[in-house]
Amino acid sequence: MSGAPGAAHRVAAPPWGAGDPYADALRTGHGPLFLRRGDGWLLPLDVERWCAAADPVDLEVLERCEGAVLDVGCGPGRLVAALAARGRPALGIDVSEAAVRHTVRRGGQALCRSVFERVPGAGRWDTLLLMDGNIGIGGDPGTLLRRLAQLAAPAGLLVVETAPLDIDERVRVQVVHTGGPGGTAGSPFPWARIGTPALLRCARRTGWRAVGQWAAGGRCFAALRSRRASTAAEPANSRAVISSQRAR
């Protein structure tokens, strides 16, 4: 999970950090952890899977990746670590310092920052990942997709994990941990949930074209290509130059 935009892409304060429910769950490797809407509805967050090694569904996604990979909202870094173990250039970004530390401990490269801040290699990333519902970052999928179009290489690939139903929802949520006496809750922040049909409609308006969709293990995915044309003679999938990949 990564940061949220404000007016003119002003970066909001991270909705969680050291001592918050999300950071605590990453330290222990388990929940129960949820996103809670204002009406009390709870969306389970699969902390155990995020903290484990990449599973077969994840590995199928990674097989589709091309060149240098940017994992937006990398969480505890299972995908970045799996790519690094294969010798693939990859960088994770996340607003959670705990998530970045976890990623680095696993052997991945990660930076603590929002996707709406300066990102190394902007305009040269061959593949971008929005896994685990991270299309919801900032509460506005259109704004997020336009930002990712700026980060992608010409004809770059974007893989999005979507909600496994036809939904297009904008909400304010809190991260809550329901274990222990009374539980704990983080600060409210904007979020979105979007299924594949709504994503494809949004993609057409934001500089992306659909090139595939699939489901595996109860999870749904869509692959998009940047419509931005190359201004150089190099191939669209040439490896991006990744700089400043030191974890903060």
Side-chain angles (χ1 to χ4, degrees):
M1 295 174 143
S2 193
H9 289 177
R10 185 171 61 250
V11 178
W16 46 66
D20 281 349
Y22 181 65
D24 293 340
L26 294 190
R27 278 193 291 271
T28 62
H30 60 82
L33 197 71
F34 300 88
L35 289 182
R36 182 174 66 194
R37 286 191 319 217
D39 61 5
W41 180 86
L42 296 173
L43 175 68
L45 300 178
D46 199 350
V47 177
E48 290 82 359
R49 179 170 61 81
W50 299 348
C51 290
D55 64 21
V57 177
D58 296 327
L59 296 178
E60 180 182 347
V61 170
L62 299 187
E63 286 297 319
R64 296 171 184 259
C65 292
E66 303 167 356
V69 181
L70 179 68
D71 186 0
V72 178
C74 65
R78 74 187 190 280
L79 303 178
V80 178
L83 287 165
R86 290 159 174 75
R88 300 284 301 278
L91 175 67
I93 57 172
D94 203 292
V95 297
S96 166
E97 293 183 358
V100 169
R101 288 194 298 269
H102 202 116
T103 300
V104 172
R105 284 198 300 269
R106 297 172 84 157
Q109 304 242 31
L111 292 172
C112 186
R113 67 185 57 183
S114 165
V115 66
F116 296 100
E117 296 180 296
R118 189 186 68 82
V119 175
R124 301 192 299 275
W125 290 100
D126 301 305
T127 303
L128 300 101
L129 298 178
L130 277 179
M131 299 284 280
D132 305 322
N134 281 330
I135 184 63
I137 288 170
D140 184 347
T143 296
L144 179 58
L145 289 173
R146 281 187 287 270
R147 172 56 176 155
L148 296 180
Q150 297 172 347
L151 299 179
L157 178 68
L158 170 62
V159 180
V160 183
E161 183 170 354
T162 59
L165 64 165
D166 190 358
I167 189 172
D168 190 357
E169 178 181 71
R170 314 289 191 273
V171 291
R172 289 187 66 82
V173 296
Q174 295 171 282
V175 177
V176 297
H177 192 295
T178 59
T184 55
S187 302
F189 59 96
W191 195 250
R193 288 200 305 148
I194 187 169
T196 298
L199 172 71
L200 299 184
R201 291 192 296 271
C202 188
R204 289 192 291 269
R205 302 190 298 268
T206 55
W208 298 93
R209 60 182 176 88
V211 293
Q213 55 184 288
W214 70 97
R219 298 160 62 189
C220 296
F221 303 89
L224 310 174
R225 285 271 179 205
S226 170
R227 294 179 183 272
R228 185 165 63 88
S230 177
T231 57
E234 62 182 334
N237 290 326
S238 62
R239 288 168 63 159
V241 177
I242 306 175
S243 60
S244 304
Q245 289 191 2
R246 293 178 294 108
R248 185 178 295 177

